[in-house]
Amino acid sequence: MSNWREQFEGESGFGAFTALLGQYYHYVVVAFLLVFAFWNRARNWGRYVVDGTILFRGNDPWYHYRSTQYTVNNFPETMPFEVWTQFPIGTAPAQFGTFYDQLMATIALVVGLGNPSDELVRQVVLISPALFGALVIVPAYFIGRRLGGRFAGVMAAAIIALAPDGLLTRSVAGFSDHHVAEALFMSLAVLAVMVALSVAQKEKPVYELLLDREFDALRGPLGYSILAGVAIAMYLWTWPPGVLLLGILGVFFLIHLSAEVVRGKSPEHTAMVGVVSLSVAGLLQLPSLATLDISATSRSLLQPGLAFAVAFGCVFMSWLFRQWEARDLSNIGYPGAIAGIIVVGAGLMALVLPDLFSYFVDQVLRVVGFQTSPTAGTVGEAQPLDDPSTLYSYYRLAIFAAVAGVGIIVARQLASADAPAENLLVAIWFVFMIAATFTQARFSYYLAVPVAGLTAVAVGEVMRFIPRVENISTVEPYQVMTVISVILIVLAPMFLGAGASVGVQAMDTSDRAQSPGAGIVGWSDGLDWMSNNTPEVGQYGNPDGDTMDYYGTYGRTDDYDYPEGSYGVMSWWDYGHWITVEGERIPVANPFQQNAREAAKFLTAQNESRSEQVLNNIDEDDAQTRYVMVDWKMAETETQARGKYFAPLRFNPNTTRSDFYTRVASTENLQQQGLLQGTDIIRQKQPYYNSTAVRLYRYHGSSMEPQPWVLDWQGAERALGNGDTFVSPPADGQPIKRFQSMQQAEAYVENDSTAQIGGFGPYPQERVPAMENYRLVHMSENSGLQGRLSQVFTRDANTGGFLGSLGISANASQQELQQAAIDGLYPNTPAWLKTFERVPGATIEGSGAAPNSSLRLQVELDPANGETFNYTQQVTADEDGSFTATVPYASTGYDAVGVDDGYTNTSVRATGPYQIASSPTFENGNITQYTGTANVSESAVVGADDSPVQVTLDEQSQEIDLGDGNDTDGTDSNTTDGNTTDDNTTDGSTDDSGTTGDTNSTSGGSAQQSLTADTAPTTIRAD
């Protein structure tokens, strides 16, 4: 205070104010930027409150909420083992329940006065990303200030506050993942190492001071190095794969210590920073070890081991320098000796420990090696950043200033023997983050701070030519113009954005990022239904069984022994955390990608026997997979519609996308649309329709017959550079053709080798049989799928794709587009999510059928949210007219068993009994058919009653007066007594799978509807 008084003594009024502002303006501006950054990231938090419930964005934030709530309940402990995911063995949370979650739990406990409600914990988790994101400004400012001065530090802070980059999108309220905490704590760690390096370069500590215990002389270097070690440890506590930082520090010390020797200086001063800080970081990792294996994704021996290895490397380089100096060797040869030792050491590791060597090589390539594995490519954030212009869209001219900053630092390192080590550290940090970002786009949120810091270097270089201003009254016009120019060049483009008409681009990006996403909204009611209408875990078929404590503490194990009555839920791994948190059930696969291959095999299984085999390999005697949840994305091949059918194919060995689908597109369209970015027609092959995910979502487990739709193309299938394939559209430009009957469609295909029945939308090329052990038990409310489809296919009408083939004009209304897309592609009620139960099924035993005749069993079902549909199954009678069928749907007795009995309260119920009918036969003027009905109880379907349902068919016959050979009474020859007799119904009525059919061909005789004289297909061009 006395210094301040002395500094401004004699000043008064405006002069004192301007002097004060000139001295402390940077703190005022940084404080304003902190407030703005937090407000911008948190301002739309209300969007995450849907129907009174907080819904987080993405997948991982849900598990962070769970691990935070566990820590609140067991503070300060984190979850040692998780039994509510990766059924049936459980898992260690690894990257969750870390320092980030402990901090959120601490905030919740403080705000909640030691007893926060679940709602308060959700609110803290919701807002925390905005808080942590704003706090990144603090290390960015100090890094920028150290590199370029106060004004440069303010510019660095402004870049963090204003840039519409990856850090912003991952630090908005609701995106409650560890990404933003990673960026914050890595920046703090780098800042702490920078400070320690500068102190070491200034005070020049040596090893002898430590031997002589002259700790007063070592207080500064040791103290700041210890603090740096703590900061590094905090980062590793936040994210175990943060060993990347240890690699960056290792490369930095390797380069800098070698450069110091070449300059004729001792490397010991900065080596001491590496030894102390990394030893402290390694020691602090030991108490939190979760495994003694080597793993980058969990708290293993890798984190302390690599820290100690880098510390040892610093010791070794210092020792080697002393040996080098004692022998009076040329300093120029020192880096070569170090490089040779590294090469020899790597070679020995490759020979002696090849698996460990391969592991390290794979990890380096995975993070900074510009390589992406096929399975990692299914994860949005793990995909490479293919377009360098993305960085320009984030930072505008600041990215060029950052590159200039690297050049300035390198030039200083080459020109000066006293160049600051901390500057080189930031330059190396930037290079690694650029490589990591182009390898996996997720690392773009790391890039913000090094970009800001290096921009500060360039800004500081400009500001060197302006004398420091202590009082505003002494400012010269050129100084003002220089400052304004720097601000406009660096920040103005980020403010406005390219082509932006109004608003700040960072605010616009924040606004677009802030919503929970349609996925969790679409799943929400299905998960709520599951938590309330399925038995508690531990009570499936076992109502007196012990339930599992949702927030219980379970000891570590490699394979948890689940109690009898426990069960798992199969879905694609993306949705595992939603099932755990919102459904309070145990997913088989999860976003840790555990059991991802098993999920892929199940969803793409080509028959029910194979899907059952996959689950049987997972299940245990007392715990089995009982439910399957499939959303529309899992059955959708169209990438423009955000379908993800492709994802399981990448996890399936020996399968490619071309085995299941290809595109019908012109080469010109593919070039214009960027390969798979368009809305060209997808030619779906029969393996697609045979896969379990499609049979469940599209047909609800029912059989499906081909329809008189034809997909036409020309030429051979050709490969695209991304692993996909395409064929060219036919000469008439209309790939989709609709016929009046199956006979017409089959005749067309017979005469055209590049055409097939079906192959798009829900229409298979061949018959898809019914499933016997899976039934739909809940259909979610229609949560925005119509709108998504209308957006996708608006352009499709312009390009002559699917809607264009149906004659939908490019000027069609949104309602027309929605209805056309839904009717054409999703005729079975396009619910976002459908939940199925795996059941033993009921056995129907029948008699009285004609020997060896084909029989159809059909029941109409009415879901709570959607239109009625039919489950249809075909069986063949034995030589004595008897038959047996296993069916998954009940038709009666729903109230006899429910959740209290250890079973499901299904919301999909039959409108009547099963209708059983044989194919009609025509002989001597009579049509004969065997029919009957059967009521199947809910108890029989779920296995509570294993008694078979008995049914005897009745013979029905009707005489037909054919006259001149045609049906003269106007009655459809395919119906008897009002009952449908064919496997496919006529002209717009509902067929056996609940979809629209148009064919009247019969299976059992010669009676057919007369074909129209005009056998040409119906093809309507888009105008």
Side-chain angles (χ1 to χ4, degrees), residues 206-208 211 266-268 316-328 334:
V206 292
Y207 177 63
E208 284 75 13
L211 289 180
S266 171
E268 290 185 32
F316 176 80
M317 292 183 72
S318 296
W319 172 84
L320 183 63
F321 166 72
R322 292 209 172 191
Q323 301 302 313
W324 205 268
E325 189 178 42
R327 289 164 175 76
D328 198 24
Y334 180 84

Side-chain angles (χ1 to χ4, degrees), residues 186 343 415 492 591 640 643 759 918 922 998:
M186 177 183 262
V343 170
Q640 187 71 10
S918 66
F922 178 75
D998 298 279

Side-chain angles (χ1 to χ4, degrees), residues 8-42:
F8 298 108
E9 187 175 357
E11 297 282 353
S12 62
F14 182 73
F17 171 75
T18 57
L20 183 65
L21 185 62
Q23 188 68 16
Y24 295 105
Y25 77 92
H26 48 292
Y27 294 129
V28 176
V29 176
V30 170
F32 170 79
L33 291 172
L34 276 167
V35 173
F36 168 78
F38 176 74
W39 168 82
N40 186 39
R41 287 160 168 78

Side-chain angles (χ1 to χ4, degrees), residues 233-544:
M234 290 168 62
Y235 171 63
L236 295 174
W237 288 337
T238 301
W239 194 53
V243 289
L244 171 63
L245 177 58
L246 301 179
I248 294 171
L249 292 174
V251 172
F252 160 74
F253 283 113
L254 176 67
I255 294 174
H256 180 71
L257 298 183
S258 298
E260 290 286 86
V261 174
V262 172
R263 292 168 181 154
K265 301 174 67 176
S266 171
E268 290 185 32
H269 317 314
T270 50
M272 183 172 290
V273 175
V275 173
V276 175
S277 63
L278 289 161
S279 295
V280 170
L283 288 171
L284 291 176
Q285 298 308 301
L286 293 176
S288 62
L289 289 184
T291 176
L292 297 180
D293 294 333
I294 299 295
S295 172
T297 57
S298 61
R299 288 174 284 190
S300 70
L301 287 176
L302 179 63
Q303 287 79 19
L306 193 54
F308 292 142
V310 177
F312 173 79
C314 292
V315 171
F316 176 80
M317 292 183 72
S318 296
W319 172 84
L320 183 63
F321 166 72
R322 292 209 172 191
Q323 301 302 313
W324 205 268
E325 189 178 42
R327 289 164 175 76
D328 198 24
L329 299 175
S330 171
N331 292 339
I332 299 298
Y334 180 84
I338 293 295
I341 291 170
I342 292 174
V343 170
V344 171
L348 288 175
M349 178 182 284
L351 290 174
V352 178
L353 300 170
D355 292 340
L356 185 62
F357 179 79
S358 297
Y359 176 81
F360 279 112
V361 171
D362 291 343
Q363 292 303 310
V364 171
L365 294 177
R366 184 179 66 86
V367 177
V368 294
F370 304 97
Q371 295 184 11
T372 304
S373 68
T375 53
T378 65
V379 184
E381 65 179 26
Q383 294 179 359
L385 182 68
D386 295 325
D387 187 359
S389 67
T390 301
L391 297 182
Y392 176 75
S393 69
Y394 286 165
Y395 304 109
R396 304 298 176 182
L397 297 180
I399 190 67
F400 298 109
V403 174
V406 173
I408 292 169
I409 288 174
V410 172
R412 288 176 180 172
Q413 294 288 322
L414 295 174
S416 173
D418 297 318
E422 57 184 310
N423 293 26
L424 179 62
L425 172 61
V426 175
I428 292 174
W429 184 27
F430 172 78
V431 171
F432 267 87
M433 289 301 100
I434 283 285
T437 299
F438 278 97
T439 303
Q440 294 186 30
R442 70 186 299 270
F443 288 111
S444 63
Y445 59 83
Y446 273 123
L447 190 59
V449 179
V451 165
L454 289 167
T455 300
V457 173
V459 170
E461 190 69 16
V462 173
M463 300 303 290
R464 284 177 55 204
F465 299 99
I466 301 177
R468 182 172 177 176
V469 177
E470 298 294 347
N471 192 310
I472 293 179
S473 61
T474 64
V475 174
E476 298 290 339
Y478 83 92
Q479 294 173 313
V480 175
M481 292 303 299
T482 302
V483 171
I484 292 176
S485 298
V486 170
I487 293 174
L488 289 177
I489 290 172
V490 176
L491 299 182
M494 282 189 285
F495 252 94
L496 301 177
S501 57
V502 293
V504 178
Q505 192 180 14
M507 294 173 64
D508 177 62
T509 302
S510 172
D511 185 69
R512 286 184 281 109
Q514 286 186 328
S515 67
I520 183 58
V521 175
W523 275 67
S524 184
D525 69 309
L527 294 169
D528 289 343
W529 177 90
M530 171 164 278
S531 65
N532 294 316
N533 293 278
T534 60
E536 294 288 334
V537 176
Q539 294 186 336
Y540 190 97
N542 181 36
D544 298 325

Side-chain angles (χ1 to χ4, degrees), residues 451-727:
V451 165
L454 289 167
T455 300
V457 173
V459 170
E461 190 69 16
V462 173
M463 300 303 290
R464 284 177 55 204
F465 299 99
I466 301 177
R468 182 172 177 176
V469 177
E470 298 294 347
N471 192 310
I472 293 179
S473 61
T474 64
V475 174
E476 298 290 339
Y478 83 92
Q479 294 173 313
V480 175
M481 292 303 299
T482 302
V483 171
I484 292 176
S485 298
V486 170
I487 293 174
L488 289 177
I489 290 172
V490 176
L491 299 182
M494 282 189 285
F495 252 94
L496 301 177
S501 57
V502 293
V504 178
Q505 192 180 14
M507 294 173 64
D508 177 62
T509 302
S510 172
D511 185 69
R512 286 184 281 109
Q514 286 186 328
S515 67
I520 183 58
V521 175
W523 275 67
S524 184
D525 69 309
L527 294 169
D528 289 343
W529 177 90
M530 171 164 278
S531 65
N532 294 316
N533 293 278
T534 60
E536 294 288 334
V537 176
Q539 294 186 336
Y540 190 97
N542 181 36
D544 298 325
D546 295 330
T547 60
M548 296 178 60
D549 186 353
Y550 184 64
Y551 282 114
T553 299
Y554 300 89
R556 292 183 188 276
T557 179
D558 293 332
D559 187 353
Y560 181 74
D561 185 15
Y562 285 86
E564 183 181 356
S566 301
Y567 59 90
V569 180
M570 173 61 79
S571 190
W572 186 229
W573 63 259
D574 289 9
Y575 309 113
H577 294 336
W578 295 356
I579 295 169
T580 296
V581 178
E582 287 293 270
E584 295 191 4
R585 297 298 182 263
I586 309 175
V588 173
N590 57 41
F592 306 145
Q593 292 195 357
Q594 293 164 336
N595 279 338
R597 291 192 181 278
E598 285 69 20
K601 292 175 183 177
F602 174 84
L603 294 170
T604 60
Q606 292 295 288
N607 53 63
E608 190 170 1
S609 296
R610 174 56 179 156
S611 63
E612 282 294 287
Q613 181 184 359
V614 172
L615 295 187
N616 288 336
N617 289 338
I618 295 172
D619 293 344
E620 298 178 347
D621 292 337
D622 297 329
Q624 298 183 359
T625 303
R626 298 292 187 180
Y627 297 94
V628 180
M629 304 184 84
V630 183
D631 70 355
W632 68 272
K633 289 187 176 186
M634 295 160 67
E636 177 57 70
T637 54
E638 176 55 68
T639 54
Q640 187 71 10
R642 302 292 179 90
K644 56 179 63 178
Y645 183 84
F646 74 94
L649 301 179
R650 293 189 178 180
F651 283 81
N652 245 336
N654 305 319
T655 61
T656 63
R657 279 178 286 179
S658 61
D659 295 329
F660 291 81
Y661 61 88
T662 187
R663 302 186 77 85
V664 181
S666 67
T667 305
E668 292 75 14
N669 281 350
L670 292 172
Q671 290 173 346
Q672 293 170 3
Q673 298 164 5
L675 298 181
L676 296 183
Q677 299 304 311
T679 54
D680 304 295
I681 293 167
I682 303 294
R683 175 194 165 203
Q684 294 162 165
K685 303 178 183 180
Q686 190 61 29
Y688 163 81
Y689 294 100
N690 289 341
S691 58
T692 301
V694 174
R695 294 170 71 184
L696 292 177
Y697 185 85
R698 288 195 180 276
Y699 311 138
H700 303 156
S702 178
S703 63
M704 180 64 180
E705 298 290 339
Q707 304 292 311
W709 292 80
V710 168
L711 187 61
D712 198 4
W713 68 93
Q714 63 178 335
E717 191 170 304
R718 289 172 283 173
L720 289 169
N722 61 354
D724 213 325
T725 58
F726 77 102
V727 291

